[in-house]
Amino acid sequence: ASFIATLVLRLSEVFRGTGIRDFKPPSADQLSLGVDVSDNEYLVQADKDCVAAGPKRYLSLLCYNRATQWVSCAMAPLTVVTGGTDGIGRALATTYLKRGHNVVVVGTDPTKGDSFLAASASSGRAHFLRADLSLVSENRRVIEWITERFTTLDVLILGARYHRSTRVETRDGLESNFALFYLSRHLLSHGLVPLLNRADQPVVLNFGGAGVTGPPRWTDLQLRRGYSGTGAMSHCAALCDLLGAHFTALHRDPPIHYVLNMPGVVATSFAGEYDAGTAAHVDTLRVSGKPVDVAVAQILPFLDSSATGLSAVVEGRAMLVDTPAFDSEMASALHESTEKLLADLPAR
């Protein structure tokens, strides 16, 4: 009781000067104790109802010092994960929840989304947004949804993809892998720059080719000829490499760290639709692939790094980024081509 009373009495002074206006002190039932972070401190959560009108963040993180009986305040960082309902994406989402972040997972499957929310309910900082990122309008809706609710984005993880052995076009008339694996990442990367620019150390993680998947098919970006599911994945990974190269050239001030990661074969769900031969091979990979926690451990040091600009990582190893896979002229040409494609799409 005395602990809660101390918090309620101190909070008005804590929030003074932080830019939060019309502060309403929380009641005891709006506070929940977190875990010890040292012998002398607790992390404490105050939910969004504690602030009548202020920043767009859902949660503030409060640190209570037992010795001084003083409370310090910092806005909870934000991580957004596409493809975060299973596999590496979900493991990273859970990692950042444990670090005290608000985490927004974007996906198509409400059952998997509910599973993530149920497993993360105790944090109070997990959110699931259902969206079909193969559609341009849905990416724009996601950008709007995030921007309306948050002021800063610290970590953007782009992992949504879906293998198809047979070529399929979206309602926008785009090849489905191109739309989900590349175009969505183009839209979200550039569309969320204003929020990334407000973070102290922003980072974007794009599960692309990291320079090892070969050149794009420049004369057939929509893969209308000679389509194969595996080839489509490699093609889009190469496009993502060029996306990262142009992004870092375009957004230098303030700099945003852009990490392209090829994790190798990981034992995940391998979401997709497969022909019989490919399905049998994928079943083997689900068993023989490296554990998800190993893949996460290999990429986290790069996400935690203070580096800026472009990084490429293959299974935990830093790769050169001055190779033809990241050619600046090709990256610029792809950007211009992509922007023209978006401008020419019918409004939906």
Side-chain angles (χ1 to χ4, degrees), residues 181-209:
F181 195 165
Y182 164 67
L183 188 59
S184 169
R185 302 181 188 200
H186 172 96
L187 288 163
L188 294 174
S189 294
H190 293 289
L192 291 169
V193 161
L195 272 66
L196 287 163
N197 279 342
R198 297 191 187 109
D200 293 332
Q201 193 172 303
V203 61
V204 179
L205 171 62
N206 185 336
F207 287 98

Side-chain angles (χ1 to χ4, degrees), residues 138-214:
E138 285 284 87
N139 284 274
R140 290 172 173 159
R141 179 175 68 86
V142 167
I143 293 168
E144 182 178 5
W145 189 94
I146 294 168
T147 302
E148 285 177 349
R149 289 162 175 81
F150 300 94
T151 56
T152 304
L153 174 57
D154 300 85
V155 183
L156 174 60
I157 298 172
L158 304 170
R161 65 180 193 175
Y162 190 85
H163 182 282
R164 293 183 186 274
S165 291
T166 303
R167 186 180 183 277
V168 172
E169 290 191 355
T170 69
R171 293 204 306 268
D172 292 325
L174 303 173
E175 192 276 314
S176 61
N177 290 286
F178 177 90
L180 178 61
F181 195 165
Y182 164 67
L183 188 59
S184 169
R185 302 181 188 200
H186 172 96
L187 288 163
L188 294 174
S189 294
H190 293 289
L192 291 169
V193 161
L195 272 66
L196 287 163
N197 279 342
R198 297 191 187 109
D200 293 332
Q201 193 172 303
V203 61
V204 179
L205 171 62
N206 185 336
F207 287 98
V212 298
T213 57

Side-chain angles (χ1 to χ4, degrees), residues 78-98:
L78 173 64
T79 293
V80 173
V81 188
T82 70
T85 54
D86 57 24
I88 303 175
R90 177 154 177 176
L92 285 167
T94 301
T95 296
Y96 282 103
L97 277 173
K98 291 178 179 178

Side-chain angles (χ1 to χ4, degrees), residues 133-136 139 160-162 164 167-170 172-187 216-218 220-224 227 232-233 235-237 239-240 334 337-339 341-342 345:
L133 295 178
S134 69
L135 300 175
V136 171
N139 284 274
R161 65 180 193 175
Y162 190 85
R164 293 183 186 274
R167 186 180 183 277
V168 172
E169 290 191 355
T170 69
D172 292 325
L174 303 173
E175 192 276 314
S176 61
N177 290 286
F178 177 90
L180 178 61
F181 195 165
Y182 164 67
L183 188 59
S184 169
R185 302 181 188 200
H186 172 96
L187 288 163
R217 290 168 57 173
W218 287 107
D220 187 21
L221 290 178
Q222 295 296 313
L223 304 179
R224 292 185 172 89
Y227 177 90
M233 288 288 189
H235 168 72
C236 292
L239 295 179
C240 284
L334 176 63
S337 172
T338 302
E339 288 297 308
L341 180 151
L342 290 168
L345 284 179

Side-chain angles (χ1 to χ4, degrees), residues 264-281:
V265 179
V266 183
T268 64
S269 66
F270 288 88
E273 297 174 4
Y274 300 96
D275 57 39
T278 306
H281 179 60

Side-chain angles (χ1 to χ4, degrees), residues 328-345:
S328 60
E329 291 186 6
M330 289 196 298
S332 179
L334 176 63
H335 181 83
E336 292 178 11
S337 172
T338 302
E339 288 297 308
K340 182 179 186 306
L341 180 151
L342 290 168
D344 290 344
L345 284 179

Side-chain angles (χ1 to χ4, degrees), residues 47 61 63 94 116 120 135 142 157 192 194 242 249 277 293 321 328 335:
D47 70 24
L61 292 182
C63 186
T94 301
F116 166 71
S120 311
L135 300 175
V142 167
I157 298 172
L192 291 169
L242 293 173
D293 59 349
V321 293
S328 60
H335 181 83

